Amino acid sequence: MDYQAILNVIEKELEHFDPGGKVPDYIPELAKIPANKFGMHLYCLNGDDFCFGDHDERFSIQSISKVFTLALAKKHGGKKIWKRVDVEPSGDPFNSLLQLEKEKGIPRNPFINAGSLVIADILISELDNPKEQLLEFVREISDDPSIEYDKKVAASENEHGYRNIALVNYMKALGNIENDADDILDFYFHQCSIAMSCRQLAKAFIIFANEGKTLNTNKKVIGANSAKRINAIMQTCGFYDEAGEFSFRVGLPGKSGVGGGIVAIHPGEYSVAVWSPLLNEKGNSEKGMKALEELTSLTGLSIF
Ligand code: GLN
């Protein structure tokens, strides 16, 4: 498959595509991102890689981090995770509080904010140095020690994170939070602030396409069964109330973030990251979705 030729077609076709939408202004630091950024990077399991545009520029990974924290929690928290977080699509926005009361503080899945805050709580209970260990894990799977938290983004979200503050306190009231709310929020805002490029994200996500093994070292960092389950949750819950639409149009497991990034994987084939900051009303990068739709249409390959 000539992936570079296909990526060139996508770059050219979408050069003048106007996705509409806006950059997220509820985190002021993210509102500063130039809206016209566009890049894509794809890694095959054999290490071949293909790219275009702003693929080497770092951006805020935001909710894409929820996949990393779930993978780390599966390594350390084991089966008890599923007593505290469900695996059903929510059909509601990523920051919704609506379902929690009815479901007794058990979030619908680990990729909505409520679910990721419970995963953060589990990591704080299980790890000695949660923030350091998360960064080490992301650096290990990306084979890149330069990956860092963006302290400005974390501080900006901390100042304006009223919904997340409400979510964690509400779940504490309902008995599904063990640790101090401020510690959980500090960890969560830091995980969302991790800055990575499309290249680094595509490399990191190879573990989910490669039965838990990293690209460069072939080290098994999570079990094949964990990779399978995390992919299933990406497929059904990776795009909140647009998970069906992404599945319908792209046909791959994936995860988005309000920094404008999307990562998708084709198990056994490749992982791919795309970045375009303008978000649609569901909080997903519209041009990023379009680029991935083109990728699976032009290759004729998806998991379906
Ligand atoms: N940090 C963001 C928030 O909690 C992450 C949301 C997202 O990327 N969908 O609102």
Side-chain angles (χ1 to χ4, degrees):
M1 183 76 67
D2 190 348
Y3 284 112
Q4 190 58 55
I6 290 171
L7 261 57
N8 293 344
V9 172
I10 297 171
E11 182 181 23
K12 189 137 187 35
E13 265 184 16
L14 297 187
E15 200 182 341
H16 302 295
F17 175 79
D18 176 8
K22 58 180 185 103
V23 290
D25 46 15
Y26 77 101
I27 304 175
E29 205 52 37
L30 294 186
K32 299 178 184 164
I33 308 169
N36 60 352
K37 296 282 178 190
F38 186 37
M40 195 163 181
H41 205 112
L42 184 151
Y43 268 100
C44 292
L45 293 200
N46 66 3
D48 288 347
D49 67 317
F50 311 94
C51 56
F52 68 73
D54 301 311
H55 64 106
D56 261 333
E57 193 167 326
R58 297 179 195 214
F59 56 92
S60 196
I61 70 169
Q62 293 297 317
S63 283
I64 296 171
S65 66
K66 291 169 179 167
V67 188
F68 296 144
T69 54
L70 177 60
L72 193 59
K74 290 234 353 127
K75 273 164 88 82
H76 294 275
K79 289 208 173 80
K80 66 181 162 197
I81 295 172
W82 307 122
K83 292 198 170 67
R84 298 184 51 192
V85 187
D86 210 341
V87 290
E88 296 298 338
S90 72
D92 273 328
F94 61 84
N95 52 13
S96 176
L97 288 109
L98 273 179
Q99 292 167 337
L100 281 175
E101 178 161 33
K102 223 172 51 196
E103 294 176 11
K104 301 189 171 56
I106 307 289
R108 282 233 128 192
N109 67 70
F111 293 159
I112 50 174
N113 288 14
S116 197
L117 287 162
V118 170
I119 298 296
D121 188 37
I122 291 171
L123 287 174
I124 290 170
S125 296
E126 298 295 325
L127 304 179
D128 295 333
N129 298 299
K131 278 197 278 188
E132 289 75 8
Q133 283 169 267
L134 172 62
L135 208 49
E136 267 166 35
F137 177 67
V138 176
R139 287 172 174 170
E140 180 184 18
I141 60 177
S142 319
D143 197 23
D144 193 331
S146 73
I147 293 167
E148 289 285 359
Y149 294 117
D150 184 330
K151 298 275 177 196
K152 268 193 182 166
V153 172
S156 180
E157 191 168 4
N158 189 32
E159 267 177 51
H160 298 87
Y162 307 113
R163 274 188 167 266
N164 289 315
I165 295 167
L167 281 168
V168 81
N169 281 294
Y170 193 38
M171 290 191 291
K172 193 153 179 102
L174 293 171
N176 196 19
I177 288 289
E178 289 172 353
N179 292 286
D180 186 65
D182 286 339
D183 292 343
I184 296 165
L185 290 161
D186 179 59
F187 179 86
Y188 174 77
F189 294 146
H190 275 82
Q191 73 172 67
C192 290
S193 84
I194 294 175
M196 289 172 80
S197 64
C198 289
R199 178 199 296 279
Q200 291 166 327
L201 278 170
K203 202 183 240 186
F205 268 69
I206 277 285
I207 62 169
F208 304 108
N210 196 23
E211 299 181 335
K213 290 175 290 201
T214 60
L215 185 67
N216 288 3
T217 60
N218 216 32
K219 183 176 160 194
K220 209 169 187 73
V221 285
I222 55 169
N225 199 41
S226 284
K228 181 189 90 173
R229 290 181 192 283
I230 292 171
N231 289 341
I233 307 172
M234 278 198 263
Q235 187 74 43
T236 50
C237 311
F239 297 79
Y240 323 111
D241 42 345
E242 204 168 32
E245 178 80 13
F246 186 83
S247 204
F248 179 72
R249 283 171 54 186
V250 180
L252 296 175
K255 185 75 202 79
S256 64
V258 292
I262 301 182
V263 190
I265 60 139
H266 190 151
E269 298 284 339
Y270 63 74
S271 82
V272 61
V274 60
W275 178 43
S276 169
L278 287 172
L279 306 178
N280 62 22
E281 75 283 4
K282 307 280 167 113
N284 298 316
S285 166
E286 188 62 35
K287 191 160 168 173
M289 280 179 53
K290 181 86 183 142
L292 293 169
E293 182 179 0
E294 289 297 298
L295 176 68
T296 51
S297 300
L298 292 166
T299 56
L301 286 176
S302 80
I303 64 160
F304 296 108

